[in-house]
Amino acid sequence: MTFRPLLLLPFLIPACGKPEGILIGDVLLPGNELDEAVAELEEGFPGTGNQTLRWQLMRFGMGAAALVHHRFPEQSIQQRDLAQACADRIDAGATFDSEEVRWEKEGHMAPLPQSPEPPNPFGLGARVAAATATLEEGEWAGPLRTSRGWEVIHLHKRYDPVRSRSHVVLRRLVFPVGSESDWTAARDDWDRLPLSGDEDYLRAVPSEILRVRRPAEEE
């Protein structure tokens, strides 16, 4: 069983001088949040460089998640509390099965398909892939802040002991923030908004992308 503490939402983190992390337009993806996910993902991809993992996490979900939660702050807090209550019950001994039944009855959203997926950020989404890299079959993690909202996940099946190549089957309880159209808009905005912030984190962004996405005043 795995329980992960919550991180502060980026819109609750004060900025002074250069922010520690990546600014997507005017929305902060905190560096400590990114680094926590990198540390987890390294367990599944130990041969991959730190900056490559940072970019994969930004590109495949954590950038869009920062935008979604920034745009719907009150709903994010409400859904985080529901996801936290779910995690607390599991931590206290409730089964994931019972929480899945409760979640379906509450009608949060349609269940996601439980089919084998690659264990990387492209396949699972950034934050879920990072958490999954640390799990054994039957373990769970959450709440996780994703581009859909908050998630509590359970690793149902891992097909290969080599985690970088092992497809996995996850059960995912999503407590949504925004709608599907909001999630699409956030992904589109992640692909076009200027990127700025701490130079250490900006080094993870491929040079050809950073060249065209620097704010005008920094060019």
Side-chain angles (χ1 to χ4, degrees):
M1 179 174 65
T2 299
F3 179 75
R4 303 195 181 281
L6 292 175
L7 293 161
L8 288 174
L9 300 180
F11 51 82
L12 298 179
I13 299 174
C16 51
K18 281 284 187 182
E20 294 186 1
I22 292 281
L23 273 171
I24 309 158
D26 60 357
V27 176
L28 178 64
L29 171 54
N32 61 345
E33 183 176 342
L34 191 56
D35 289 342
E36 179 183 345
V38 166
E40 292 176 349
L41 194 59
E42 281 176 334
E43 294 192 31
F45 299 86
T48 306
N50 180 278
Q51 298 290 41
T52 298
L53 293 178
R54 279 181 176 176
W55 174 241
Q56 294 298 304
L57 288 164
M58 284 187 257
R59 181 185 181 192
F60 294 118
M62 291 189 74
L67 295 172
V68 167
H69 290 266
H70 176 81
R71 290 168 179 176
F72 302 96
E74 292 182 2
Q75 188 182 15
S76 178
I77 291 170
Q78 291 167 356
Q79 296 295 80
R80 178 196 62 188
D81 290 345
L82 291 175
Q84 184 67 64
C86 170
D88 288 344
R89 288 189 294 268
I90 298 173
D91 199 43
T95 65
F96 199 91
D97 287 344
S98 66
E99 286 305 308
E100 189 171 49
V101 169
R102 179 196 292 262
W103 176 84
E104 289 182 352
K105 285 182 177 178
E106 291 174 351
H108 294 286
M109 62 177 286
L112 297 177
Q114 294 179 20
S115 55
E117 297 178 283
N120 52 50
F122 175 79
L124 298 177
R127 195 63 191 83
V128 170
T132 299
T134 71
L135 299 180
E136 302 296 339
E137 284 187 11
E139 292 184 336
W140 64 279
L144 306 171
R145 194 177 76 123
T146 75
S147 57
R148 291 188 178 102
W150 294 90
E151 298 192 36
V152 180
I153 67 170
H154 175 274
L155 179 57
H156 178 68
K157 178 71 175 176
R158 187 186 295 280
Y159 286 90
D160 192 295
V162 180
R163 298 192 176 203
S164 61
R165 71 185 184 207
S166 175
H167 277 52
V168 295
V169 176
L170 292 179
R171 299 160 70 187
R172 300 171 68 160
L173 307 184
V174 181
F175 298 81
V177 175
S179 65
E180 288 196 25
S181 62
D182 297 318
W183 306 338
T184 298
R187 290 193 297 269
D188 291 344
D189 287 342
W190 156 253
D191 286 334
R192 69 172 185 82
L193 287 172
L195 301 176
S196 59
D198 190 301
E199 288 297 327
D200 182 48
Y201 293 95
L202 288 174
R203 278 194 286 273
V205 182
S207 57
E208 65 273 14
I209 292 176
L210 190 58
R211 190 178 305 118
V212 298
R213 293 181 61 184
R214 284 270 196 180
E217 62 271 18
E218 294 187 12
E219 293 178 354

